[in-house]
Amino acid sequence: MDLDPILLSRIQFAFVVSFHAIFPVFTIGLASYIAVLEGLFFRTQNPAWEKLSAFWTKVFAVVFGMGVVSGIVMSFQFGTNWSNFAQASSNFIGPLLSYEVVTAFFLEAGFLGVLLFGRHKVPAGVHLFAALMVALGTFISAFWILVANSWMQTPAGTEMRDGVIHVLSWSEAIFNPSFPFRFLHMVMASFLTGSFVVAGVSAWYLLLGREKEANRKALSMCLWLILFLAPAQAFIGDEHGLNTLEHQPTKVAAMEGNWETQSGVPLLLFAWPDQETQSNLMEIGIPHMASLILTHDWNGVVPGLKEASPDEQPPVSIVFWSFRIMVAMGLLMILAGVIGVILRATGKLYSTVWYLQSLRLMSIAPFLAVLSGWFVTEVGRAPWLIYGIMTQAEAVTPSLTGGMALFTLIGYIVVYAMVFTAGVYYLFRVLQMGVEDEEPVDEEHDRAMRPLSAAHVTFEAGPYPGRDQDTHAAPLNKGGH
Amino acid sequence: MQLIDLPLIWAVIIGFGVIMYVLMDGFDLGLGILFPFAPDEQARDVMMNSVAPIWDGNETWLVLGGAGLLAAFPLVYSIFLPALYIGVFLLLAGLIFRGVAFEFRFKARTSRYLWNWAFAVGSMIASFAQGCVVGAYIQGFETQNGVYVGGALDWLTPFTVLTGLGLMAGYALLGSTWLILKSEGYIQEWAYKITRPLLLAVLVVFAIVSAWTPFVDELVRERWFSTIEVIWIFPVLALFCAYQIFRHVGKRTEGMPFVATMGLFIFSYLGLIASRWPYVVPPNYTLWDAASAPESQLFLLLGVLFVIPIVLVYTAWSYWVFRGKVKAGVGYH
């Protein structure tokens, strides 16, 4: 069998973008959380808030750094693997991505440095302002990226002339039909991700009996957020789904595993969609539920997959199962919030070991939900790259061979495995160090404005290099290479 | 509408971004290339500390250039990247490794030697790949109807290997002269010592490339030998800078070798542009062919004109803050 450059490019894009997405989805939520902590500290002057903020800022720095590194790769993917798409859509996509870079540039150049390194160098109000601007900056970055993606899902305000997209109305193209839903859904997902990670880490510290006051405050705050945000997210997701039904009915049909256009469609809990036979090999469902959810009518008619010819259908199983994983995670998140409020009412929130343990596990739930959600929307668009305008086959780089695509795919997997293993390992080291006061840092020389240098945690267990006297004499590689 | 030539403005912006990137990331990549040859671990600490506060700001010019190219000259973006497919991957992989190594080396103890290697090898690969890009640009690209139709390894020819090695030597030269400026004692002495051999290597490649380039195609030959003689000013000035490097290393001047190396880069770059102007995808497409729609160029121009001055001020400020010698044993961390 020949290596298919289209399939391999899709896998490559899915791989690098999934890897990239987990970092910003966390930092967007975390940036807002830090801004709130800074605000609370500014108002109350309670040192617990400052302690929490300082700790989570360190975590933010490491995650932001990894997001930047993995983001560099993204800005070249369109050209290397999807050059026809880049060429055709650049009149619109080009400025958007550039504005994203410009925003990040601006943010990193100014306010991030103040937030990370300026705590004792600038007035408290300025520091709070920097925190707010960093949070705002993450939203603006997300805004541009989601505009680009939403436009590819529901193109508007543009027309194709001689194989090239021209913008007719910037406002229509930017605020295209699926954008508001996707943006809200994603921002909410970021808040939930931030909440669950902070809740999970705080629960872990509480189990270890570390820094009780600060961690209780953090946990309590996050659980309130989760209680309201998780159901709100389900509502927004539902609205997003209805929007998708209107603009991309085939995607929704794949999500539901619904082949025929029919009324009274059941909500399938389990099924084995088979593209060959254009049917489900086996299914268990709740009668009429899908019609009720999608049309708000017990017997509503829902379009099926067969409305599109088989070669215009997305890979159904991936969409179908990704959607179920996302929804399952969402329901678990709602449940976690509800149990939290019950335990709070009975006064046992901070002492229920099984609940704190399960919160630790739940830290990964939002990441799974986000990734599977993106799989639903991205795979569900197939075979289109720009929905209804350009297919993936038309978009791929013409000179790209399967061998080249495979080479770089393996290459990226190897590079990411090495680099991000180190990064995630390091992140866990930072988490292990915890919220407790760290040894004082030589502030005078600490003006390097790079995200990762904000975390003063050693890579291995032991004292920080440069602070123990024998570091320079001790390295194993004495004598060079 | 045609009062202003937007593609020309964008060509200047991106051309400016490229040389900013080359000069600024050049010396920190150069330090990475020199890293394995440093006299000892303390010298490596000084080398890293001399660029620690500024290197990532240097690299952001690359990202801005990449995104700006997509927005302003999509044809360049969608021909260069497919044509340089494998090279771009190596470039990115190299940059990722060295970036991460940069951060973790400071925090590492027992694994430090691994990060040393990652930093050096990453820097070398990234520099070599960038040099190949330059060579590939001089060579030109095989295209049809605005689409790259050449092979996967067209960018890897004896000529581009030469430019790859040449840029590595050039970056190493930027690195060593930067180190002269920023270090003292035995480390500075080492930097002085390696500067002349590096300069020689650069000049050898410079000579071969200069002799070779006019034969790449008709237009280049014509430009250098018949039409506009004034462009000979660029190689002459470049050679003058090279002489200044040589002289000031002999006199043990601290600042001039670096300044003259930047001059060498700038004039070689201008010479390169002069040979190919206005072709951005040689041999077929000029910058006006490659431009995106005017409204798109204008839309982004507003943002970029707002941000570039701020970035420049910020960059100047951070270089100012971290001016002066880097003392052994004192880190920015």
Side-chain angles (χ1 to χ4, degrees), chain B residues 171-240:
Chain B
Y171 280 172
L173 182 64
L174 270 174
S176 74
T177 51
W178 168 260
L179 195 58
I180 289 172
L181 183 67
K182 299 297 279 188
S183 67
E184 50 197 2
Y186 75 101
I187 303 170
Q188 190 188 38
E189 197 48 42
W190 172 71
Y192 274 123
K193 221 171 61 198
I194 58 172
T195 296
R196 278 183 177 172
L198 286 171
L199 177 63
L200 183 68
V202 172
L203 288 177
V204 168
V205 177
F206 183 83
I208 302 175
V209 171
S210 302
W212 196 327
T213 306
F215 299 99
V216 172
D217 83 9
E218 190 69 25
L219 182 83
V220 181
R221 187 159 56 245
E222 202 175 292
R223 181 147 303 167
W224 283 95
F225 294 108
S226 50
T227 13
I228 8 176
E229 270 144 17
V230 67
I231 66 172
W232 284 93
I233 188 86
F234 296 132
V236 168
L237 283 171
L239 287 175
F240 174 74

Side-chain angles (χ1 to χ4, degrees), chain B residues 15-331:
Chain B
F16 176 72
V18 168
I19 190 67
M20 284 299 282
Y21 171 76
V22 167
L23 291 178
M24 293 166 66
D25 211 25
F27 66 77
D28 61 59
L29 282 165
L31 289 179
I33 295 168
L34 297 173
F35 216 57
F37 311 102
D40 60 14
E41 199 60 22
Q42 183 165 309
R44 289 192 190 105
D45 285 346
V46 168
M47 288 162 82
M48 273 210 157
N49 282 329
S50 76
V51 290
I54 44 188
W55 77 271
D56 75 326
N58 298 349
E59 255 169 38
T60 29
W61 288 95
L62 178 70
V63 183
L64 193 67
L69 214 50
L70 170 64
F73 299 107
L75 194 71
V76 180
Y77 184 86
S78 62
I79 289 176
F80 273 43
L81 292 180
L84 302 162
Y85 189 79
I86 306 282
V88 168
F89 166 74
L90 293 174
L91 170 62
L92 294 175
L95 288 180
I96 290 175
F97 266 112
R98 73 184 290 274
V100 174
F102 220 116
E103 300 299 342
F104 286 144
R105 182 180 179 275
F106 285 110
K107 306 176 197 304
R109 293 162 344 114
T110 50
S111 64
R112 181 176 273 219
Y113 73 102
L114 280 176
W115 299 117
N116 280 349
W117 271 113
F119 180 59
V121 174
S123 302
M124 289 177 190
I125 292 175
S127 309
F128 179 76
Q130 287 177 15
C132 292
V133 174
V134 177
Y137 169 71
I138 299 173
Q139 267 184 178
F141 300 91
E142 205 181 314
T143 56
Q144 250 168 31
N145 301 325
V147 168
Y148 176 70
V149 292
L153 293 174
D154 283 11
W155 60 277
L156 198 65
T157 63
F159 182 69
T160 61
V161 169
L162 184 73
T163 53
L165 294 174
L167 195 66
M168 281 176 77
Y171 280 172
L173 182 64
L174 270 174
S176 74
T177 51
W178 168 260
L179 195 58
I180 289 172
L181 183 67
K182 299 297 279 188
S183 67
E184 50 197 2
Y186 75 101
I187 303 170
Q188 190 188 38
E189 197 48 42
W190 172 71
Y192 274 123
K193 221 171 61 198
I194 58 172
T195 296
R196 278 183 177 172
L198 286 171
L199 177 63
L200 183 68
V202 172
L203 288 177
V204 168
V205 177
F206 183 83
I208 302 175
V209 171
S210 302
W212 196 327
T213 306
F215 299 99
V216 172
D217 83 9
E218 190 69 25
L219 182 83
V220 181
R221 187 159 56 245
E222 202 175 292
R223 181 147 303 167
W224 283 95
F225 294 108
S226 50
T227 13
I228 8 176
E229 270 144 17
V230 67
I231 66 172
W232 284 93
I233 188 86
F234 296 132
V236 168
L237 283 171
L239 287 175
F240 174 74
C241 288
Y243 170 69
Q244 291 302 322
I245 300 168
F246 182 83
R247 201 169 69 96
H248 283 283
V249 166
K251 282 169 52 183
R252 292 291 188 263
T253 321
E254 291 192 330
M256 270 314 280
F258 184 63
V259 174
T261 307
M262 289 202 290
L264 177 63
F265 265 86
I266 291 170
F267 293 120
S268 308
Y269 179 68
L270 290 175
L272 178 71
I273 293 176
S275 351
R276 278 306 200 180
W277 183 268
Y279 287 89
V280 282
V281 187
N284 295 326
Y285 301 105
T286 68
L287 61 100
W288 294 281
D289 300 328
S292 57
E295 60 271 19
S296 301
Q297 289 199 329
L298 190 63
F299 181 69
L300 184 59
L301 187 63
L302 301 175
V304 165
L305 287 184
F306 171 72
V307 163
I308 284 187
I310 294 172
V311 171
L312 284 176
V313 168
Y314 168 76
T315 306
W317 176 78
S318 47
Y319 276 78
W320 174 252
V321 167
F322 295 104
R323 69 193 179 279
K325 296 286 182 192
V326 177
K327 300 263 190 291
V330 178

Side-chain angles (χ1 to χ4, degrees), chain A residues 85-104:
Chain A
F85 163 73
Q87 170 67 0
S89 66
S90 61
N91 281 336
F92 182 61
I93 298 286
L96 295 190
L97 296 186
S98 298
Y99 264 113
E100 198 276 334
V101 171
V102 163
T103 312

Side-chain angles (χ1 to χ4, degrees), chain A residues 85-427:
Chain A
F85 163 73
Q87 170 67 0
S89 66
S90 61
N91 281 336
F92 182 61
I93 298 286
L96 295 190
L97 296 186
S98 298
Y99 264 113
E100 198 276 334
V101 171
V102 163
T103 312
F105 214 152
F106 186 65
L107 180 82
E108 195 172 345
F111 300 112
L112 189 60
V114 177
L115 175 65
L116 296 185
F117 306 104
R119 184 174 296 280
H120 303 296
K121 297 198 190 77
V122 296
V126 175
H127 196 248
L128 171 62
F129 180 71
L132 286 168
M133 291 310 283
V134 168
L136 178 68
T138 60
F139 288 122
I140 300 175
S141 269
F143 171 85
W144 293 114
I145 295 298
L146 291 175
V147 165
N149 181 273
S150 298
W151 176 82
M152 289 164 72
Q153 304 275 359
T154 52
T158 54
E159 73 170 4
M160 193 91 156
R161 280 202 303 269
D162 307 323
V164 175
I165 294 286
H166 287 266
V167 181
L168 301 178
S169 156
W170 286 96
S171 62
E172 267 179 51
I174 289 174
F175 299 99
N176 60 74
S178 66
F179 170 73
F181 300 96
R182 185 167 284 106
F183 186 70
L184 268 183
H185 201 39
M186 191 64 192
V187 165
M188 209 52 104
S190 297
F191 285 158
L192 281 169
T193 306
S195 303
F196 270 100
V197 173
V198 174
V201 172
S202 308
W204 178 41
Y205 289 149
L206 287 177
L207 285 166
L208 297 173
R210 287 168 64 173
E211 281 285 333
K212 281 191 183 148
E213 194 209 341
N215 285 314
R216 281 184 179 184
K217 275 182 183 309
L219 180 64
S220 160
M221 232 172 119
C222 289
L223 287 176
W224 280 123
L225 277 172
I226 290 165
L227 180 67
F228 294 103
L229 294 185
Q233 176 71 324
F235 175 74
I236 295 169
D238 182 49
E239 292 294 309
H240 189 12
L242 294 179
N243 176 265
T244 309
L245 179 66
E246 185 184 338
H247 296 279
Q248 297 173 311
T250 317
K251 185 191 285 182
V252 174
M255 285 154 66
E256 301 294 345
N258 177 31
W259 297 92
E260 309 286 345
T261 301
Q262 53 187 331
S263 69
V265 179
L267 179 69
L268 299 182
L269 301 177
F270 292 98
W272 197 258
D274 181 30
Q275 215 123 4
E276 291 285 308
T277 62
Q278 296 278 300
S279 64
N280 294 328
L281 293 187
M282 152 214 127
E283 52 180 61
I284 304 167
I286 308 170
H288 293 272
M289 269 313 270
S291 278
L292 187 65
I293 292 171
L294 289 168
T295 63
H296 297 184
D297 174 2
W298 188 249
N299 284 315
V301 176
V302 178
L305 275 159
K306 286 185 181 173
E307 295 284 318
S309 65
D311 57 343
E312 291 204 344
Q313 292 168 359
V316 179
S317 328
I318 298 179
V319 180
F320 182 84
W321 283 109
S322 300
F323 181 63
R324 267 141 199 80
I325 294 171
M326 180 187 77
V327 171
M329 291 301 132
L331 294 175
L332 277 177
M333 287 187 236
I334 294 174
L335 186 66
V338 172
I339 297 176
V341 81
I342 294 171
L343 287 175
R344 195 195 295 267
T346 53
K348 283 188 269 185
L349 183 57
Y350 305 114
S351 54
T352 311
V353 174
W354 66 265
Y355 182 67
L356 296 177
Q357 289 286 11
S358 46
L359 279 181
R360 280 181 66 192
L361 274 178
M362 280 299 286
S363 302
I364 56 165
F367 292 103
L368 284 177
V370 166
L371 285 183
S372 51
W374 275 105
F375 268 82
V376 170
T377 199
E378 293 296 282
V379 178
R381 177 180 50 187
W384 298 104
L385 197 67
I386 309 172
Y387 200 76
I389 293 179
M390 188 179 223
T391 64
Q392 292 164 339
E394 291 164 343
V396 80
T397 299
S399 59
L400 186 68
T401 63
M404 289 159 76
L406 184 65
F407 173 82
T408 52
L409 173 61
I410 294 172
Y412 281 121
I413 291 174
V414 170
V415 172
Y416 279 33
M418 290 163 75
V419 166
F420 291 107
T421 306
V424 172
Y425 163 81
Y426 182 69
L427 190 62

